[in-house]
Amino acid sequence: MTFQQAQDFICKSRLEKSISSFLPLKRRKWKLYHNKGSLLCLAEPEKKRFQEEKFKNLLRQALNSPYYSGVLEKAGLNPDNAMLEDLKKLPFLTKEIIRRQGDSLLAKSKSRLYQNASGGSTGEPIVFYQDKNYRENVWATMMVILEMCGWYYGARVARLWGAPQDKRRFRTLRGRLIYFFQNTRFYDSFNMSEENMLKYHYDMTRHKPDIIICYASSIYLLAKFLKKRGLKPSYPSISINTSAETLLPHMRSTVTEVFGRDVYDKYGSREISGIACECSLHRGLHVFEDNVILECVDPITGKDVYEKPGELVVTDLNNLGMPFIRYRIGDMGVISREMCPCGRNTIVLKKILGRITDNFYLKNGKIVHGEYFTHLFYGIRGIKKFQFIQEQEGEFTLDIVKNGNYTEDCLKRVLLGIRDVIGEDASLKVEFKDRIPDTSTGKHRFTISNVKRDFI
Ligand SMILES: [Zn+2]
């Protein structure tokens, strides 16, 4: 028996589940996972009751936060009598408010808080907190999302991914154990040279993953590369699960053509994860309404819009440590109330007009996913907005809009990280601006590469 066969056997035996289900601390998350799939199928009245109870609970917790207690008082809302419709009485939460209010958004609770940071969809770095309840729900939702993509216990998974915190986790002993039990291999999407893509291809050919979890543009890049080289992948055997950026129609069709498998898109962000995922009918993304209340509003009037593009506004029903109520997540989308015939009773995200990330082709042959640069800004409080542009192969510009917390130290780590990748000989111009205009679609693109290359 080979090592891989032994691993398959252990993963299929559900040993990890058997062990952790006995631990009282882990039992809750397994329970959440077992309930979550069926919550998608609740009939309308039950779904509303379930959401309303969670909404009331969120508001009760929010009363413990200096910022939200003021907001609720102003809106005249008593959490015990609140109905879902009352959500509209509350103001939007913006990144600017998160930056300005800081810790006054925290709802003092006994639950442990975990710090997190993001560049968001709009290139405005923010720092925020999530509690244990939120994290357990995210984990349970990810399991359900994987099941919707065809995953089963023991299925082999390839992660074509780059987020530094996920990579770090992979290097620790605990992370290695987790990935072992999840039968997962990691492929770095922040380091995609042609040479590395060939290595990834041959390794996946040997490893035969059943599912690939990936950034949309990374799998698109790999698909284009394989197609150009005339290489026909024999993997994955089940499906491809994309996220973190907009999966455009031409990307989906190329990936489907090259890999011959269904692509399942999912939607979430670092601030609020596990928002929506496609089912096998691909009629749009089912919204996890037990996790979030998702609104799509006209950006000018604030009124609800259905079946046409609007701004997505998310209320997270799980993070009680730092409530995100009516959060302007920064993406546009189209919500439909038309039911999907698969039997899941949820609203459906028909289209997401979210972040678009370019790949950066460097002189040394490396191809770096734009998310690499975005991550360098996570947790930096002195920068209001940024945009990193590759003008030509060895020529880069970094546009910065400062805020009141800016000091010279803010950029040190960012510039080191950029130099690490582009090299010392590349030209890097830093320009401070009053504002960075959005694209014609109203969308801010915080990493842009004007260098396009076809594979030979
Ligand atoms: Zn469906």
Side-chain angles (χ1 to χ4, degrees), residues 153-206:
Y153 278 96
R156 294 181 191 175
V157 177
R159 283 181 83 96
L160 184 56
W161 207 251
Q165 54 273 57
D166 299 333
K167 275 200 286 190
R168 272 197 299 274
R169 200 177 303 143
F170 186 66
R171 289 192 202 110
T172 62
L173 178 65
R174 185 171 171 268
R176 279 173 193 270
L177 272 174
I178 290 172
Y179 279 127
F180 175 85
F181 283 115
Q182 292 174 351
N183 218 349
T184 298
R185 283 192 187 206
F186 199 94
Y187 300 88
D188 192 353
S189 65
F190 284 180
N191 190 8
M192 299 262 287
S193 59
E194 294 194 20
E195 191 190 344
N196 279 351
M197 281 193 282
L198 260 187
K199 275 188 200 157
Y200 295 171
H201 168 66
Y202 290 128
D203 196 74
M204 286 195 223
T205 303
R206 274 194 306 277

Side-chain angles (χ1 to χ4, degrees), residues 279 281 286 340-344:
C279 72
L281 299 182
H286 284 283
C340 175
C342 73
R344 294 178 178 91

Side-chain angles (χ1 to χ4, degrees), residues 97-166:
I97 293 175
I98 294 174
R99 256 197 307 269
R100 224 177 35 230
Q101 294 291 334
D103 290 355
S104 74
L105 280 155
L106 298 179
K108 293 170 203 94
S109 74
K110 286 180 188 143
S111 183
R112 186 179 161 190
L113 292 178
Y114 300 85
Q115 194 188 69
N116 207 339
S118 154
S121 287
T122 49
E124 300 170 69
I126 49 166
V127 176
F128 50 92
Y129 293 85
Q130 287 149 339
D131 67 5
K132 194 164 170 271
N133 183 51
Y134 167 85
R135 286 166 66 118
E136 287 175 343
N137 271 282
V138 165
W139 177 84
T141 307
M142 288 308 148
M143 295 290 277
V144 173
I145 287 174
L146 279 176
E147 277 183 350
M148 286 165 76
C149 306
W151 174 87
Y152 59 88
Y153 278 96
R156 294 181 191 175
V157 177
R159 283 181 83 96
L160 184 56
W161 207 251
Q165 54 273 57
D166 299 333

Side-chain angles (χ1 to χ4, degrees), residues 135-295:
R135 286 166 66 118
E136 287 175 343
N137 271 282
V138 165
W139 177 84
T141 307
M142 288 308 148
M143 295 290 277
V144 173
I145 287 174
L146 279 176
E147 277 183 350
M148 286 165 76
C149 306
W151 174 87
Y152 59 88
Y153 278 96
R156 294 181 191 175
V157 177
R159 283 181 83 96
L160 184 56
W161 207 251
Q165 54 273 57
D166 299 333
K167 275 200 286 190
R168 272 197 299 274
R169 200 177 303 143
F170 186 66
R171 289 192 202 110
T172 62
L173 178 65
R174 185 171 171 268
R176 279 173 193 270
L177 272 174
I178 290 172
Y179 279 127
F180 175 85
F181 283 115
Q182 292 174 351
N183 218 349
T184 298
R185 283 192 187 206
F186 199 94
Y187 300 88
D188 192 353
S189 65
F190 284 180
N191 190 8
M192 299 262 287
S193 59
E194 294 194 20
E195 191 190 344
N196 279 351
M197 281 193 282
L198 260 187
K199 275 188 200 157
Y200 295 171
H201 168 66
Y202 290 128
D203 196 74
M204 286 195 223
T205 303
R206 274 194 306 277
H207 176 56
K208 295 188 177 56
D210 297 306
I211 292 175
I212 302 178
I213 301 173
C214 47
Y215 290 129
S217 63
S218 298
I219 196 74
Y220 175 57
L221 182 73
L222 182 63
K224 278 198 303 180
F225 172 74
L226 295 177
K227 192 177 172 183
K228 204 84 185 172
R229 289 283 180 105
L231 295 165
K232 183 77 193 149
S234 55
Y235 56 86
S237 65
I238 299 178
S239 66
I240 291 165
N241 182 223
T242 58
S243 63
E245 56 195 313
T246 308
L247 176 73
L248 297 166
H250 71 276
M251 295 161 84
R252 185 194 287 269
S253 68
T254 303
V255 173
T256 309
E257 180 202 329
V258 171
F259 290 94
R261 292 288 175 260
D262 266 7
V263 179
Y264 291 74
D265 195 22
K266 71 169 182 266
Y267 177 60
S269 73
R270 208 154 272 278
E271 304 94 289
I272 304 173
S273 187
I275 296 176
C277 177
E278 278 180 82
C279 72
S280 58
L281 299 182
H282 304 287
R283 301 264 184 118
L285 284 74
H286 284 283
V287 176
F288 286 87
E289 292 177 277
D290 59 312
N291 288 341
V292 295
I293 300 172
L294 184 65
E295 300 169 78

